[in-house]
């Protein structure tokens, strides 16, 4: 059960980290975009650190689980952004 909680938490963190970047690609601007860049750079590393520090990520399967959770979170964030802000703005 703790692994399911960790995977869920990592997916939620990935959604939070990805939404500002998705908003920027759809025409947003400002400090939220800068926060999104920092979050996307820092939060994945923190997820790996926290998972290994608390002993819930072990070996290749744990690494693959974290990567899969982050990918799922990013896909979900893109779907949310498309629903809320529309499609990606093209130049």
């Amino acid at each position: 059960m703790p692994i399911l909680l960790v995977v869920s938490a990592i997916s939620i963190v990935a959604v939070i980290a990805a939404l500002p970047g998705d908003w920027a690609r759809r025409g947003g601007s400002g400090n939220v975009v800068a926060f999104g860049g920092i979050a996307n750079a820092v939060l994945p590393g923190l997820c790996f650190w926290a998972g290994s520090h608390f002993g819930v990520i072990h070996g290749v399967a744990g690494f693959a689980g974290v990567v899969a959770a982050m990918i799922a979170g990013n896909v979900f964030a893109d779907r949310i952004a498309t629903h809320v802000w529309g499609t990606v703005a093209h130049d």
Side-chain angles (χ1 to χ4, degrees), residues 26-91:
R26 287 159 174 82
S29 62
N31 292 335
V32 174
V33 175
F35 169 75
I38 293 169
N40 275 324
V42 172
L43 289 177
L46 287 176
C47 289
F48 281 109
W49 172 82
S52 62
H53 180 73
F54 293 112
V56 292
I57 297 174
H58 301 288
V60 176
F63 180 82
V66 170
V67 170
M70 287 192 291
I71 290 170
N74 279 301
V75 169
F76 188 62
D78 189 55
R79 289 180 182 237
I80 290 172
T82 299
H83 179 72
V84 174
W85 299 305
T87 57
V88 176
H90 296 285
D91 295 320

